[in-house]
Amino acid sequence: MTLNKRNARAPFWLLSCFLLLLAMVGCKVYSFSGTNIPPEVKTISISTFQNNANNGPSFLAQRFTEDFKDYFQRNTTLKQQARDGDLQFDGQIIAFDFAPAAIQQQNNQDVAGVNRLTIQVRVRYTNTKDPKQDFEQTFQSTRDFPATRDISSINNDPAALREVFRNIITDAFNKSVANW
């Protein structure tokens, strides 16, 4: 009895599919969004992040918290609730610094080539289903702006702050539900 090429490939294809399925099931639940959330986790609560930064604008806490909530809503299927979620986040914005960077000589004077915005946020994460996953960590992000832009223009530009926020939020997301 001779096997044609089509019949010879069938066992290889079935074995490949089985191994792929086995790898995806593993010990934890995997989703194609990059999260690693067990099926018993259904809810999330995100408290308002307090603005403890000396230089931060008054709207900073509200804007950061809303961006944090939006990111988790877009990237997970968890139901948000005001408190006592299976996953819980809270924290403080602890630094908002705008300072000259890349100092250059111009007409025998030191001037900023760019201005750097640095934001630090202390995030506390509680996983009520698996307390071994809990953490408290400070995340930081920076962005450089042309020396011609002052802090007022940046504070009035929601896109500028959102980029810095997004980096911090992505890091907190990866540490908590993507387990990176």
Side-chain angles (χ1 to χ4, degrees), residues 6 30 35 43 50 71 107 110 120 123 150 156 159 166:
R6 183 179 172 131
Y30 177 79
T35 60
T43 61
Q50 299 302 308
Y71 191 90
N107 298 331
D110 290 339
Q120 291 181 338
V123 176
D150 63 6
N156 291 325
R166 185 176 51 245

Side-chain angles (χ1 to χ4, degrees), residues 12-32:
F12 177 75
W13 183 83
L14 285 172
L15 180 61
S16 297
C17 288
F18 176 74
L19 290 174
L20 180 63
L21 180 63
L22 188 62
M24 288 177 63
V25 172
C27 297
K28 294 191 177 193
V29 176
Y30 177 79
S31 80
F32 289 103

Side-chain angles (χ1 to χ4, degrees), residues 2 14 24 30 35 41 78 88 100 118 142 145 148 154 160 171:
T2 59
L14 285 172
M24 288 177 63
Y30 177 79
T35 60
V41 173
L78 298 172
Q88 302 168 10
T118 303
T142 62
F145 295 93
T148 55
I154 293 166
D171 288 347

Side-chain angles (χ1 to χ4, degrees), residues 95-130:
F96 183 92
D97 297 315
F98 189 71
I103 304 300
Q104 303 170 347
Q105 278 283 334
Q106 197 174 61
N107 298 331
N108 289 330
Q109 287 188 329
D110 290 339
V111 295
V114 296
N115 289 318
R116 178 167 294 149
L117 175 63
T118 303
I119 299 177
Q120 291 181 338
V121 180
R122 186 87 176 146
V123 176
R124 187 174 21 262
Y125 168 71
T126 304
N127 183 332
T128 63
K129 303 294 184 182
D130 185 4

Side-chain angles (χ1 to χ4, degrees), residues 138-151:
T138 299
F139 297 94
Q140 173 178 305
S141 181
T142 62
R143 179 169 177 212
D144 291 342
F145 295 93
T148 55
R149 288 198 66 187
D150 63 6
I151 192 62

Side-chain angles (χ1 to χ4, degrees), residues 28-47:
K28 294 191 177 193
V29 176
Y30 177 79
S31 80
F32 289 103
S33 68
T35 60
N36 195 2
I37 302 172
E40 65 271 11
V41 173
K42 305 278 188 222
T43 61
I44 186 171
S45 57
I46 300 169
S47 299

